[in-house]
Amino acid sequence: MSYEKPFITYAVSLHFTQDVNEIIFNTMSSIAEQTGNDFMIKNKVPPHVTIGAFHGTKETEEKLIQIVKEFSRTQKSGVVRFTEIGNFNNKVLFLKPAKDDFLSTINDELHKIILPEFEAGENGYYVPEIWFPHTTLATGLNQTQFSKALELAEKITLPLEARIHDIGFYQCSPFLELNRFPLS
């Protein structure tokens, strides 16, 4: 599917219960405060694991929201188990969860219902075959910031189990939370 109008990238993400949110958010805040890299805090990006990114338009946004809402009604809450700290090229620091049956299934099922009508966004990095689940703690780090951020992230006691509370629906660039749907 191609779009005549400029497309918007939308993301679908899993959110954690408040106890784990506090652990992750406090780490994100410490990193921002001690490195000066406040992208995640300034843009109000909550702790999450993105399970899909899709292209749409303002005109198709409501349809996509409705699909995600219906999808959330069929999903049961699960647990994400963070096992290590990871990074992308020493520029993005994240918590890496085990890519277990829960995460693999929810990612796969989401794509099965959305891809027939919408294109994968973010260069297809979230499609089941190549998806690398992660929870970003900081992004756009320089080398000095990365070293300090890693030191702070390593204070998180791992493994860390996070119960999923809801599914969020976002517009990317600029980041904007559009909706959240509870899981059963």
Side-chain angles (χ1 to χ4, degrees):
M1 175 183 297
S2 62
Y3 298 98
E4 292 176 15
K5 296 181 180 183
F7 67 81
I8 299 168
T9 301
Y10 295 97
V12 179
S13 300
L14 302 176
H15 296 272
F16 319 117
T17 53
Q18 190 59 32
D19 57 335
V20 173
N21 268 347
E22 285 180 20
I23 292 167
I24 297 171
F25 185 78
N26 288 342
T27 302
M28 292 164 61
S29 295
S30 292
I31 290 170
E33 185 178 300
Q34 294 192 34
T35 67
N37 182 315
D38 65 351
F39 178 87
M40 299 293 286
I41 303 302
K42 182 176 67 181
N43 289 290
K44 299 179 180 150
V45 180
H48 69 279
V49 173
T50 299
I51 58 172
F54 307 94
H55 290 160
T57 62
K58 266 301 179 199
E59 292 75 19
T60 62
E61 183 176 282
E62 279 305 315
K63 182 176 187 175
L64 188 51
I65 289 173
Q66 190 60 36
I67 292 170
V68 173
K69 181 178 182 180
E70 290 170 14
F71 172 76
S72 70
R73 291 179 180 154
T74 67
Q75 301 303 306
K76 294 200 181 319
S77 180
V79 173
V80 172
R81 185 176 166 88
F82 293 103
T83 56
E84 62 187 280
I85 307 289
N87 75 84
F88 297 128
N89 298 321
N90 292 348
K91 295 184 184 322
V92 178
L93 188 66
F94 57 83
L95 285 174
K96 180 182 175 190
K99 191 174 178 182
D100 58 13
D101 284 344
F102 171 72
L103 280 176
S104 295
T105 300
I106 200 166
N107 171 262
D108 187 54
E109 289 177 1
L110 177 71
H111 283 83
K112 282 180 184 172
I113 65 164
I114 294 182
L115 286 182
E117 298 187 51
F118 293 88
E119 287 181 1
E122 299 300 312
N123 297 320
Y125 288 135
Y126 294 95
V127 296
E129 303 80 39
I130 61 173
W131 178 52
F132 187 88
H134 62 282
T135 296
T136 302
L137 299 172
T139 187
L141 297 164
N142 64 36
Q143 196 55 52
T144 304
Q145 292 170 333
F146 177 81
S147 297
K148 184 62 178 170
L150 180 59
E151 179 183 314
L152 294 165
E154 288 175 338
K155 292 180 180 180
I156 297 174
T157 302
L158 297 176
L160 175 65
E161 290 192 353
R163 176 150 299 281
I164 301 304
H165 181 264
D166 59 45
I167 292 179
F169 183 78
Y170 297 90
Q171 171 187 297
C172 304
S173 298
F175 178 82
L176 179 64
E177 183 176 311
L178 299 176
N179 221 318
R180 285 204 189 191
F181 306 105
L183 297 178
S184 58

